[in-house]
Amino acid sequence: MGLASNAGFDVPVVPDAPDARDWLLEELSKPEYAAARPSLFDILSQRFFDWLLRLFQPGESVPLDWLPVAIVGLVVAGLIVALLIWGVPRVNRRSGAATGLFGDEDRRTAAELRRDAAAAASAGNWTLAVLEQFRALARGLSERTIVLVSPGTTAHDFSLRASGAFPPASDDLANAATIFDGVRYLGQQGTADDYERVRRLDARLQGESPRRHEAVDAEVPA
């Protein structure tokens, strides 16, 4: 009797299909199996490496899905080579002239501003002549890519930057900026002397070469 009962325990239990499925799902839900599942990163990485292997397998046709990647890679490589050879392109003169100038939208070139300043001076409108001549001074240095004049640049900001390129003219540049601010914002009337001082400064800087930027940076006090 005892032997029969012991033998009964040795007979393996064969579950039917529903029980087997339930047991499998229960087993796979354990934490150790969940930790072993591949993550989304693992799946994407495997697909990427499979794609690379397809490119180099002998006897296999080259997959067409590599063409967009190759085209983008060639474009990026071409841009890098162009930057290494020619450097970062500067803003051209015409695009720089189209920006704002001391709070006003002004697309005139330095030559046009100088002509307008001279016309205002001939008419005796010294206030307008001073404003136009200072704008011509700033636009001229901007066209020469010596001083960058952005829409938010003030007259004194411009004079400080220009002084770094033309140190001997720093006092005259500061005085010209003061004259411009007085006429433009404080309601002062321009005079023939004011106009002539700014005009002479503009003509002087047209004939001078700026100091190298490396020298300007080297002399900045710590």
Side-chain angles (χ1 to χ4, degrees):
M1 188 68 179
L3 292 175
S5 61
N6 290 336
F9 286 108
D10 294 334
V11 177
V13 178
V14 180
D16 55 11
D19 290 338
R21 183 188 59 200
D22 293 341
W23 290 0
L24 179 61
L25 292 177
E26 182 180 358
E27 181 69 17
L28 293 178
S29 64
K30 294 181 179 180
E32 54 267 26
Y33 291 101
R37 293 174 185 171
S39 63
L40 178 60
F41 176 79
D42 296 331
I43 297 173
L44 295 178
S45 299
Q46 185 60 45
R47 289 182 179 178
F48 175 74
F49 287 115
D50 291 342
W51 175 80
L52 287 179
L53 290 175
R54 288 167 58 198
L55 296 180
F56 301 101
Q57 284 180 351
E60 294 287 341
S61 60
V62 179
L64 296 179
D65 54 356
W66 73 275
L67 290 176
V69 179
I71 293 173
V72 173
L74 290 175
V75 172
V76 173
L79 292 175
I80 294 175
V81 171
L83 289 176
L84 292 176
I85 296 176
W86 292 290
V88 179
R90 291 185 176 183
V91 178
N92 60 57
R93 295 182 178 182
R94 179 59 63 180
S95 64
T99 60
L101 192 61
F102 303 126
D104 294 326
E105 185 65 25
D106 200 327
R107 298 178 179 271
R108 290 174 293 175
T109 64
E112 292 170 340
L113 286 164
R114 292 183 183 109
R115 286 197 300 267
D116 293 342
S122 299
N125 189 346
W126 301 113
T127 296
L128 180 60
V130 168
L131 295 175
E132 300 287 61
Q133 186 59 60
F134 188 83
R135 292 189 180 104
L137 168 64
R139 181 55 51 79
L141 296 185
S142 177
E143 289 176 349
R144 294 168 62 188
T145 65
I146 296 174
V147 179
L148 176 62
V149 181
S150 62
T153 302
T154 66
H156 279 280
D157 288 338
F158 163 76
S159 68
L160 287 174
R161 298 176 191 176
S163 296
F166 302 97
S170 58
D171 291 339
D172 292 334
L173 285 165
N175 291 333
T178 300
I179 293 172
F180 176 84
D181 283 343
V183 173
R184 178 70 172 81
Y185 301 107
L186 302 180
Q188 298 176 3
Q189 296 298 314
T191 65
D193 182 63
D194 293 336
Y195 165 73
E196 191 61 25
R197 291 174 64 181
V198 181
R199 188 196 65 79
R200 285 199 303 265
L201 175 61
D202 183 26
R204 169 187 167 187
L205 296 185
Q206 289 181 62
E208 293 185 4
S209 298
R211 184 173 65 170
R212 292 177 59 85
H213 293 292
E214 292 83 355
V216 174
D217 295 339
E219 294 183 10
V220 175

